Every structure is written in C-alpha cells, then in structure tokens.
Amino acid sequence: MATASATDFDVRRNDSLGLRLQHALHANPVLGPLAVLIVAIIAFSIVNGRFLTATNLSLVLQQVTVIAVLALGQTLIILTAGIDLSAGAIAVFSSILMATFCTKAGMPGIIALVLGLACGTAMGAINGFLVTRIKLPPFIVTLGTLTIFFSLNSVVSNSETVRGTDMPGLMTWTGNSIPIGNFRLTYGSIIMLLLFAYFFYALGRTAWGKHVYATGDDAESARLAGIQTSRVLFSVYTVAGLLYAVGGWILIGRLASASPNVGVEYNLDSITAVVLGGTSLFGGRGSVIGTLIGALIVGVFRNGLQLGGVEVVWQGFAIGLLVLVAVSLDQWIRKVKT
Amino acid sequence: MTEPVLQARGLTKRYGRVVAIDGSDLELYPGEILAVIGDNGAGKSSLIKALSGALIPDQGEIFLDGKQVHFRTPMDARAAGIETVYQTLAVAPGLDIADNLFLGREERKPGVLGSVFRMLDRSHMRAEAKRHMSELGVATLQNIGQAVESLSGGQRQAVAVARSAAFGSKVVILDEPTAALGVKEGNRVLQLIRDVRDRGLPVILISHNMPHVFEVADRIHIQRLGRRATVITPKSHSMSEAVAIMTGAAEPPPQAAA
Ligand SMILES: Nc1ncnc2c1ncn2[C@@H]1O[C@H](COP(=O)(O)OP(=O)(O)OP(=O)(O)O)[C@@H](O)[C@H]1O
Ligand SMILES: [Mg+2]
C-alpha cells in the first residue's frame, strides 16, 4: 500500500493544469460558483458604477431572497437525486392560503401564518408520500402536483390578488427592513440567511444530514448500510414543503400583496440556483452554501444585465447559458479519476 | 450437539421467473468460520441477504440462537447483532471513512449539543474509526476524513470489513471480502476473519478464492442451483473435489453432520 500511494503521488504531480483544476473542484465544489459570482460582480461594477451602491445591492438581496429560500428546499431534494417542480406552486399557493385565512376567514395573523405553513408542509408531505410509498419518479410526482396546486390556487384565490394593506401586519412584516447605512436588510432576508445557516449545520453536523447525502449518493447502498431511505426521502420532501411555505410568506412581504399569478418562473429559478451552486442533479453532491451563491449569481446577473440596459428576454438567455455551462462542468467534475 | 447460532430452513426467494434461492438451508455454529462457495448465480448473495434483512424471503424460517426471527430491514438484523459486508460494499462514496464506519449508528455529542441540537460527536467517531482501521492494518490510510470515493477498491473493501468487524456482536457475514484485494491485503482480511472468530464470533465467508476458503474455513457450505448441495470440511475433501461438487461434475456426498 505504501508503494501504491507513492505512485499516486507521482501521477498527481505530473497532472496537467486541467486535471488539477478538476480535482480541486471535485474536492471543493463551491470554488467554481464563488469565482463566477466574484467575476460577475467585478464585471458589472466596471460596466455600471451604480451596481456596487448599497441601494442597488440591497435590491439584489431582496430580489434573491424568495428564490434562495425555495432553492434551499430544492437543494435538499436534489441532494437525494430528486427534483421538485412544485416548489413555486407550493410557495404561491401557501401565500394565497395565508392571505385568505387572515382576510376572508378573518383569522388573526399568527394563526393564518401557522396554518399556511402547515398547509405548505402538508403539500410537501404529499410529494414525499407519492415518491416513497407509491414509488413514482420525483419528476412525474411534482409535475402532477405542480398542476394540481396551481389549479387549487386559482380556485381558492378566485384569481384575485389580496392587497397587503388588507392583511394583518405580520403578513407583510417580512418586507420591513433594518437600515444599515444605505443598505436595507429586510426581515425576509434575515430569515433566509438563518435558514441557510441552520441547514448548513443540519446537513453537515447531524446524522440526518449524513443520511440525506448517503441516500442521494446510492440509495440501495444506503439501505443496505441500515439507513431507512424512505423515511429520509419523506422527511426531505416534507421539510422542503415547509421551506417553500416560508418562501410564500416572504413573497407576501416582497410584493406587499398575495398574488396567485406570480411564481411560475420560481420553479426553474430555484433549480437554476441549485445547479449554478454546484449541487449535482445526480444526487449526493452539493451544499447549501453553493445554493446561496447560485441564487446570488442569478440575482447579480439579472440586476447587472438590467443596469447594463440588456432587455429582459436576453437576461433569460444569459442565465440559460450559465446553467448549461454549470451542468457540463458538473458532468466533467463527476468523471474525476481517483 | 451444540445448537446453531444462526439457522435457516427452506429459504426461497424468487425474482419473477428467476429462482434465486430454492429451499436453501444453512447452519452456523458457535465459534466457527463457515465458508459458502458456489458458481456465479448459485444464490450465495441472495441467501446471506435473507439472513441480514436485505431481502425478505418468500418462504422459509430463520432462527437466531434458536429463536425465530423476521428481519424486515438490514437495520433489524444489525440490531440483533448480525453485521454484513455486502458484495457491493454498501458504502456511501461521497462521505468520509469515519462517516461510513458509523453510517446509520452515528454518535452524538454528550449533553444539550447532542440531545437538543443533535450534533454529531465527530472527534470521537474519527478517533474510533482510526482505531478500527489500524486494527485492520490499513493505518497507511493518510486521512480518516478522506471521502471513500477517493480510496482504491481494496481500501474501500477494508472500510466495509472494518465496519462489520467493529460492530458485529453475534454474527459477521462477509460476501467476497477479498475479491478486490492484493495478496498482502487479502491475507490481512483472512487474519482479521480469524481474529473475529477467536473473539468468539462465528463468521460466514463467501468466496470464490479456494485457497482462502481452504485456509480459514472450519466447514464449507456448497451452494448449487439455489440450494445447499452439501457441507464438507477442508479435511474431508480436497479443493478439486469441492469444485467438482460445486459445478455438478461430482455427486455431493450425503449431508455430513456438523
Ligand atoms: N434483485 C434481483 N432481481 C432479479 N434477479 C436477481 C436479483 N438478485 C439476484 N437475482 C438472480 O438470482 C440468482 C442468484 O443471484 P446471487 O446474486 O444470489 O448469486 P451469487 O451466488 O451471489 O453469484 P456471484 O458469485 O456471481 O456473486 C441469479 O440468477 C440472479 O440473476
Ligand atoms: Mg454474490
């Protein structure tokens, strides 16, 4: 074995730059997205001096907050080699339910909020049930529930927007902010950052987190190693549902209303953030820090291109390109020779 | 005669039209190394999977210390003290060596950190993992925090073997644990198997490596076409006789008493 490691070492020393980069990214997948984010920030601030102002940066953070929370739930699911197309639908439907509970049903804000969060959690649990018990592929399950939740959403809301001023203050509280100089940090963003910190901890430092990674890496091996993979999967979909509902609450604050017609693009944006953050669609690889960076990349690109006068349609084009590059990179990193 | 620690009677498992095990019996006695040999597809892995809870047999009974058991999951068998190294190793490649050794039985920090925050006791698990790995003679592993996917095939096998040896309290089952190993590492695993037996734990060893089998086994269970053809001992039969029975070239002798 001593000789084996010696030869390993020799091989590694003779590696080309590309191979060494591949190894570095394999060992530390957050490096790539971080580099993209930093380069983007530098580039956009050179193009437009307004980009790096505190006012603009707080706008970027606010724009990113909802997507980031959804992407956090999405990360958990993608880590288990799943995908959740219903993320945006659950978020929007939860926000409509909260708004309906506290306006039409006349409930106090706190009750409406808790009930709304519970509904979102239940929607996630339905996905989890279909994936683990009926054993349908996550793509199919969430494609179905996406359609169902959006249609229920239209029924409950009557396709009408509920204004924030008609709701108790708690509902729009997430949109309030603490000024730090010219920077405005919303409570929604604070909640988002706390959630990321919590899941960073839960994934890295608890048995549950290890089981999420093991299940996503190779479900059959995880099962043989004694992990109850169905239970892990179910917990992941359920927790994701709760996170989406929190996203829905933050969305009310952001829009100062609850609207049934927003959020269609949130599904793809959340997946985009996860993928840009270096989490592998094949499961078992990735981190929530990467996802936060991925969400920031989306936000920075949208905002920077806007400031640079690029039309909205071309912003989508640019982000689509980024995603393709990120997925190709993931494939390449996966092929790492060890 | 002593009572078997682990006994299977008439185990059957079908996959659609394929009969993986066809009314197979097995007895494992205290303190012995029982080798299981057989051609590819003879049903060796399926048989031990039934014993370790990884598959639920269609028919048949399993007794542990004389009491009938019904394992629904690998966790059940583990809780009963049966540790298994599967042919596929069942490791999580993305997790590190220590995480893999403790997969499914992680230890939490003492006090509030563990009970409320469910924080893992990483330093303790790493120290333990290091100890188990060096017992196996793979102390040459540079770093216990290394991802298992960055290990060689043989090193991965060592991780899986160390896991079962460390946690088995009744029975240790090894499905081709030396297949990917070099001569030196293979011999180490054989020594480990003897050590486990000398600690009083009976071992089931599946292997295609006849010299290994004849070197360590107390008895040899020959599996053929999904059932036990016979049981021999390294003293009663030669390697070529065993192979002849295994392949069907020779009639199996009437089932020898243990
Ligand atoms: N999950 C499964 N689905 C379908 N057929 C299976 C499955 N597992 C095993 N089999 C079949 O059962 C039979 C016995 O397989 P098993 O893996 O137990 O053989 P084995 O003796 O361990 O072989 P090897 O020496 O190659 O490891 C084979 O014909 C195999 O194709
Ligand atoms: Mg086998």
Side-chain angles (χ1 to χ4, degrees), chain B residues 103 117 192:
Chain B
L103 198 56
F117 296 101
L192 177 89

Side-chain angles (χ1 to χ4, degrees), chain B residues 15 18 20 38-46 87 176 208:
Chain B
Y15 290 105
V18 179
D39 280 337
N40 293 125
K44 306 180 296 295
S45 296
S46 304
Q87 197 168 2
E176 303 199 21
H208 287 292

Side-chain angles (χ1 to χ4, degrees), chain A residues 275-315:
Chain A
V275 170
L276 288 180
T279 293
S280 168
L281 288 171
F282 303 101
R285 305 303 140 100
S287 70
V288 297
I289 301 300
T291 296
L292 185 56
I293 296 173
L296 288 170
I297 292 176
V298 175
V300 162
F301 262 77
R302 284 248 154 89
N303 178 279
L305 293 172
Q306 187 118 37
L307 285 183
V310 177
E311 284 172 53
V312 179
V313 276
W314 288 107
Q315 295 172 23

Side-chain angles (χ1 to χ4, degrees), chain A residues 2-3 35 92 107 111 115 178 180 182 197 224 227 256 274 298 303 307:
Chain A
T3 45
V92 174
M107 292 178 194
I111 308 247
L115 263 184
I178 311 172
I180 306 170
N182 282 332
L224 289 177
I227 292 173
V274 176
V298 175
N303 178 279
L307 285 183

Side-chain angles (χ1 to χ4, degrees), chain A residues 12-100:
Chain A
R12 202 138 302 171
R13 205 168 31 187
N14 296 331
D15 279 352
S16 68
L17 186 66
L19 259 169
R20 260 184 285 162
L21 187 68
Q22 192 181 20
H23 274 283
L25 289 174
H26 187 76
N28 214 335
V30 171
L31 287 183
L34 193 61
V36 171
L37 180 63
I38 292 171
V39 169
I41 290 175
I42 293 172
F44 287 126
S45 50
I46 292 171
V47 172
N48 193 315
R50 269 198 304 149
F51 180 81
L52 261 190
T53 59
T55 332
N56 188 53
L57 288 182
S58 35
L59 183 66
V60 171
L61 188 63
Q62 284 168 38
Q63 286 169 336
V64 153
T65 296
V66 174
I67 296 299
V69 172
L70 301 197
L72 182 58
Q74 190 75 256
T75 306
L76 298 177
I77 288 173
I78 291 182
L79 278 177
T80 66
I83 190 104
D84 193 344
L85 301 180
S86 69
I90 294 180
V92 174
F93 189 28
S94 300
S95 76
I96 288 296
L97 284 170
M98 287 174 198
T100 310

Side-chain angles (χ1 to χ4, degrees), chain B residues 4 20 38-39 68 98 113 135 140 189 225 239:
Chain B
D39 280 337
Q68 189 166 6
L113 277 181
E135 264 173 25
T140 40
V189 169
L225 304 176
M239 269 186 225

Side-chain angles (χ1 to χ4, degrees), chain A residues 201 211 217 223 225-226 285, chain B residues 54 75 78 94 106 117 120 149:
Chain A
Y201 168 81
H211 296 179
D217 219 335
R223 188 184 77 86
R285 305 303 140 100
Chain B
M75 198 90 103
R78 257 162 69 159
E106 292 82 358
F117 296 101
L120 293 175
E149 68 192 344

Side-chain angles (χ1 to χ4, degrees), chain A residues 94-139:
Chain A
S94 300
S95 76
I96 288 296
L97 284 170
M98 287 174 198
T100 310
F101 290 148
C102 64
T103 54
K104 285 182 204 143
M107 292 178 194
I110 180 74
I111 308 247
L113 173 62
V114 170
L115 263 184
L117 295 178
C119 289
T121 310
M123 288 182 247
I126 291 173
N127 284 335
F129 174 83
L130 293 169
V131 168
T132 57
R133 296 278 148 229
I134 319 290
K135 305 219 187 292
L136 299 172
F139 185 91

